[in-house]
Amino acid sequence: MAHRLRPVGLDFVGTAPVRHVSEREISAPVEAVYRALEDVPGWVDWFPQVMAARPIDGGKGRDIRLMGGVRFRESVIAAEGPEVYAYRVDVTNVPGVRAIAEEWRLAPAGTGTRVRWTFATDGTAAYRLALRPVRAAQAKAFRDAVTALDRRLAAS
């Protein structure tokens, strides 16, 4: 069952009750990484958990389907290339969640990019408790995805 979440802005990334932050340096240049983040359908090529991704509302939103049947309808809340790409979840089928925002922050690191991803969320006590063991899996998914993105960008 899909339900509507509380709309949040970019400030939620820094104030959410639950925040998972992952960071990694890759060899691809900042501009190329940012273009890949904006290419919503392209996420299926480098982020293994993303089964389907399409832009909606003229690029102002995203419709995302993850492994396991999780669905997100999202609004882009920051597209400040080449440094910040962020979105919030407006509708999902995940129970207990009240708000989600994700921020991708890019910074030059030598000739490559430091990629920092923040998953910010709030929900019921049961939802927050269920997220504790998910933190390590999210960090691994981030590492795997960013590594795959770096390989993909190097090959193009």
Side-chain angles (χ1 to χ4, degrees):
M1 172 193 306
H3 59 281
R4 183 160 294 283
L5 304 188
R6 180 175 84 238
V8 294
L10 193 56
D11 60 323
F12 183 72
V13 171
T15 63
V18 178
R19 296 174 65 243
H20 297 175
V21 180
S22 295
E23 193 169 304
R24 187 170 190 97
E25 287 188 14
I26 59 175
S27 60
V30 172
E31 293 79 7
V33 177
Y34 185 82
R35 281 192 305 273
L37 293 174
E38 280 194 317
D39 175 21
V40 176
W43 283 55
V44 299
D45 298 326
W46 58 270
F47 208 119
Q49 286 74 15
V50 177
M51 300 288 96
R54 66 182 181 93
I56 56 174
D57 300 329
K60 294 178 185 173
R62 303 162 21 118
D63 198 21
I64 305 293
R65 185 171 47 87
L66 302 179
M67 288 176 58
V70 173
R71 294 181 177 268
F72 295 130
R73 176 149 290 200
E74 303 168 338
S75 292
V76 175
I77 56 175
E80 303 164 10
E83 294 146 0
V84 179
Y85 184 75
Y87 42 88
R88 70 164 180 248
V89 176
D90 297 317
V91 178
T92 186
N93 60 349
V94 176
V97 62
R98 293 185 183 126
I100 297 174
E102 296 182 43
E103 176 191 69
W104 294 78
R105 193 161 286 275
L106 310 176
T111 59
T113 305
R114 183 180 327 100
V115 181
R116 187 179 74 206
W117 170 72
T118 303
F119 173 82
T121 190
D122 187 18
T124 62
Y127 169 78
R128 290 193 311 268
L129 184 64
L131 280 180
R132 286 186 184 156
V134 171
R135 181 182 296 259
Q138 281 185 324
K140 182 180 181 333
F142 167 80
R143 283 190 310 272
D144 292 349
V146 171
T147 299
L149 175 59
D150 197 29
R151 279 192 212 114
R152 180 172 181 76
L153 292 173
S156 59

